[in-house]
Amino acid sequence: MASVSRYDIRDIGLAPEGVRRIEWADRQMPVLRAIRDRFARDRPLAGLRIAACLHVTTETANLMRTLQAGGADVLLCGSNPLSTQDETAAALVAEYGIPTFAIRGEDHDSYYAHIEAACDHRPQLTMDDGADVIGVLHSARREQLGTVIAGTEETTTGVLRLKALEREGKLAFPVIAVNEAQTKHLFDNRYGTGQSTLDAIMRSTNTLIAGTRFVVAGYGWCGRGVALRARGMGAQVIVTEVEPVKALEAVMDGFAVMPMLEAASIGDIFVTATGDKHVLAGRHLELLKDGAIIANTGHFNVEIELPALRALAVSSRTVRPSVEEFVLADGRTVYLLAEGRLVNLGAAEGHPATVMDMSFSNQALSAEYAVRNASSLERRVYAVPAEIDREIARVKLATMGVEIDRLTAEQELYLASWDEGT
Ligand code: ADE
């Protein structure tokens, strides 16, 4: 058993349960496991200080073990106050010797104190999910920017923030946008968010999805996944969008598409997945049916206008774990899940390990790539190299026992030519 002195977690006594759960997830993360084995041999991250700010889950624990196997001196803090699995945090500290700063349900001050602890690690590589560490380094900790070689970013919202920083010419080091890898967003955002969001709604409410009018705000990869799975459960799915091409795609995928002002008075269950703020705003909340369930699966808790909900309510109480009932002035009730934070991690366990296997393989290989290529990378947001993406897909398929065809020499020649026609 390893041990560390720096940490802030709920209860170190939870470690044995955390270890069992981390091992369970690891069984479903064969690609990451293979990378860990290679990292243990090659030590590509030897001596590198990494500050990771990620959801503290069993899957993240296996990524931390992989970075550690590669020789990194890694510290982890949570990337959301409500997503931490306390037993995982305990195991990281007690069993794997990884300084961890995260407590499920922590308040704003504790959350930011933990980000500060990550910065105190004086990272040479940052690994964010939502760009919070990079945000602090670029504002309150600017004197540390020169120490950082590169960063990686896990999620759509974080990549948007980093691209804004880049546009303003203020990004101080290169960042690899892991979210942009196909083996990340096509699977994690779509199938991971799709399944875990439905899982969270069902775990917290035990409501029957079949026959409900289920409103999905946003038809990006996450929204598509939620809409697909809700339809699979028998819901009548309504999509709201602001982007015409995505809206058109939703229409042709067979979903009803309408403005939120129209959907608000029809829906039974609402899930926001846009990355934007006030998608379910006060003017929508006023129209909700009695008993409506509202949840957010986007990164930040700004998609539902919570101050407006509180202002409309005459009382509120917790009626089940992760379910808060708001009674409005006219007697209608509205049920808010997971405080409007990302419901799939707040009220369930986040994406299953099988998809996080690919997301976190991208993280590990992007960290290695960034360190190897540090001298040639500029202060920009980079996509994950296509070769990493393809390699992860190749290995994932192999671990699933799926074989695919190869181009013949004749086919390769044909694809590379322009003069063979009808
Ligand atoms: N984001 C979504 N699901 C996750 C998980 N299981 N672990 C870490 N980050 C996640």
Side-chain angles (χ1 to χ4, degrees), residues 190 193-194 197-198 214-239 250 253 255 271 273:
R190 180 166 39 177
T193 308
T197 300
L198 269 291
F214 193 114
V215 180
V216 181
Y219 205 63
W221 290 110
C222 294
R224 284 169 216 210
V226 176
L228 188 69
R229 292 300 178 241
R231 174 158 69 189
M233 297 289 296
Q236 297 173 42
V237 178
I238 296 166
V239 170
D253 284 346
F255 297 111
V271 175

Side-chain angles (χ1 to χ4, degrees), residues 54-60 85 129 154 188 196 344-345 349-352 356 360:
L54 301 169
H55 299 296
V56 179
T57 65
T58 52
E59 294 76 25
T60 300
Q85 297 166 357
D129 186 333
E154 170 78 4
D188 168 315
S196 59
N344 62 333
L345 281 141
E349 293 173 66
H351 305 347
M356 294 314 294
F360 285 163

Side-chain angles (χ1 to χ4, degrees), residues 187-349:
F187 304 94
D188 168 315
N189 301 26
R190 180 166 39 177
Y191 304 121
T193 308
Q195 177 166 321
S196 59
T197 300
L198 269 291
D199 176 12
I201 294 168
M202 293 189 293
R203 278 194 208 200
S204 57
T205 65
N206 194 28
T207 206
L208 184 73
I209 306 294
T212 58
R213 295 211 177 91
F214 193 114
V215 180
V216 181
Y219 205 63
W221 290 110
C222 294
R224 284 169 216 210
V226 176
L228 188 69
R229 292 300 178 241
R231 174 158 69 189
M233 297 289 296
Q236 297 173 42
V237 178
I238 296 166
V239 170
T240 71
E241 242 307 332
V242 292
E243 209 281 308
V245 177
K246 287 185 181 153
L248 184 59
E249 194 178 358
V251 171
M252 297 224 180
D253 284 346
F255 297 111
V257 175
M258 63 183 73
M260 185 58 93
L261 269 178
E262 230 175 283
S265 58
I266 300 174
D268 300 299
I269 301 173
F270 293 77
V271 175
T272 55
T274 68
D276 208 345
K277 73 190 293 192
H278 299 174
V279 176
L280 259 181
R283 64 185 187 285
H284 307 120
L285 298 170
E286 280 173 9
L287 301 173
L288 296 180
K289 288 198 305 196
D290 182 37
I293 293 169
I294 60 177
N296 164 53
T297 203
H299 186 79
F300 287 120
N301 60 338
V302 294
E303 304 211 15
I304 300 172
E305 194 182 1
L306 298 172
L309 178 59
R310 287 194 198 99
L312 284 170
V314 292
S315 69
S316 70
R317 61 180 180 143
T318 299
V319 288
R320 295 166 57 96
S322 305
V323 184
E324 196 175 356
E325 178 190 70
F326 289 82
V327 180
L328 310 189
D330 62 3
R332 277 175 299 144
T333 51
V334 173
Y335 297 103
L336 173 71
L337 306 191
E339 302 171 14
R341 297 192 188 278
L342 21 69
V343 71
N344 62 333
L345 281 141
E349 293 173 66

Side-chain angles (χ1 to χ4, degrees), residues 48-49 94 103 114 124 163 172 187 254 271 278 308 316 348 399 401 415 420:
L48 187 79
R49 288 189 307 278
I103 300 172
H114 291 160
Q124 295 158 296
K163 287 194 171 166
F187 304 94
V271 175
H278 299 174
S316 70
T399 65
L415 290 175
E420 200 179 323

